[in-house]
């Protein structure tokens, strides 16, 4: 059984400004750095075999801080990237309410397929190990939905710097 500590990256400048980040790199705020440091303290005495992050900078930075007490390196994967919001990327979120999604937004089916590939990747690459995986709000929701066999709305939103535990075979 592989244990995953699934983490949402720390707060970013765009989170604060309500900008749709999607697959942009993002920059942690001072609060986001503190959130990551808090997680690092929480997990400092937990045996962790691997640290995996989305290949977007906000997740890499969060995971690097969490991995520091373990003197561990961070492996990155595009499987953990946030949902691609297409033409909505970079826009002010309140302005998007009620609008139809542009055709270049990643579909929920594609997102859930990527989530399944991520879970398979972790189970096959780190069998029987404990992994910290730092992703993003929507992909983490998709990972949990796939893992638990639920719909996306049935999974509670993760706050920045929140951690949830999953076990995969």
């Amino acid at each position: 059984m592989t244990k995953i500590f699934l983490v949402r990256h720390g707060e970013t400048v765009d989170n604060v400004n309500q900008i749709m980040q999607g697959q942009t790199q993002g920059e942690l705020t001072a609060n986001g750095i503190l959130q990551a440091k808090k997680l690092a303290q929480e997990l400092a005495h937990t045996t962790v075999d691997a640290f995996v992050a989305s290949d977007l900078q906000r997740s890499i930075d969060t995971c690097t801080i969490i991995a520091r007490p373990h003197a561990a390196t961070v492996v990155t994967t595009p499987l953990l990237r946030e949902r691609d919001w297409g033409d909505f990327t970079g826009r002010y979120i309140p302005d998007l309410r009620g609008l139809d999604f542009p055709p270049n937004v990643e579909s929920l089916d594609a997102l859930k397929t990527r989530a399944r590939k991520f879970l398979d990747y972790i189970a096959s690459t780190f069998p029987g190990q404990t992994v910290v995986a730092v992703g993003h709000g929507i992909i983490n929701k998709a990972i949990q939905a796939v893992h638990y066999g639920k719909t996306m709305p049935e999974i509670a939103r993760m706050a920045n710097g929140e951690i949830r535990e999953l076990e995969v075979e």
Side-chain angles (χ1 to χ4, degrees), residues 77-91:
T77 177
L79 294 172
L80 261 180
R81 278 185 167 211
E82 182 57 294
R83 186 178 192 182
D84 184 349
W85 287 104
D87 291 341
F88 278 176
T89 302
R91 296 197 42 202

Side-chain angles (χ1 to χ4, degrees), residues 6-26:
L6 188 63
V7 176
R8 182 177 177 201
H9 63 78
E11 178 188 79
T12 66
V13 172
D14 283 348
N15 291 145
V16 171
N17 293 318
Q18 299 184 65
I19 301 299
M20 186 69 78
Q21 291 177 100
Q23 296 189 359
T24 61
Q25 295 300 320

Side-chain angles (χ1 to χ4, degrees), residues 7 19 39 43 47 81 83 107 110 116 144 149 155:
V7 176
I19 301 299
L39 289 170
L43 295 171
T47 300
R81 278 185 167 211
R83 186 178 192 182
S107 72
R116 172 81 273 158
Q144 292 170 84
I155 304 299

Side-chain angles (χ1 to χ4, degrees), residues 77-116:
T77 177
L79 294 172
L80 261 180
R81 278 185 167 211
E82 182 57 294
R83 186 178 192 182
D84 184 349
W85 287 104
D87 291 341
F88 278 176
T89 302
R91 296 197 42 202
Y92 184 59
I93 293 169
D95 290 346
L96 303 176
R97 286 189 175 84
L99 297 180
D100 291 334
F101 282 9
N104 60 351
V105 171
E106 185 177 12
S107 72
L108 284 180
D109 285 344
L111 187 69
K112 287 175 122 181
T113 296
R114 190 156 51 88
R116 172 81 273 158

Side-chain angles (χ1 to χ4, degrees), residues 68-81:
R68 199 168 287 142
H70 299 268
T73 57
V74 173
V75 175
T76 62
T77 177
L79 294 172
L80 261 180
R81 278 185 167 211

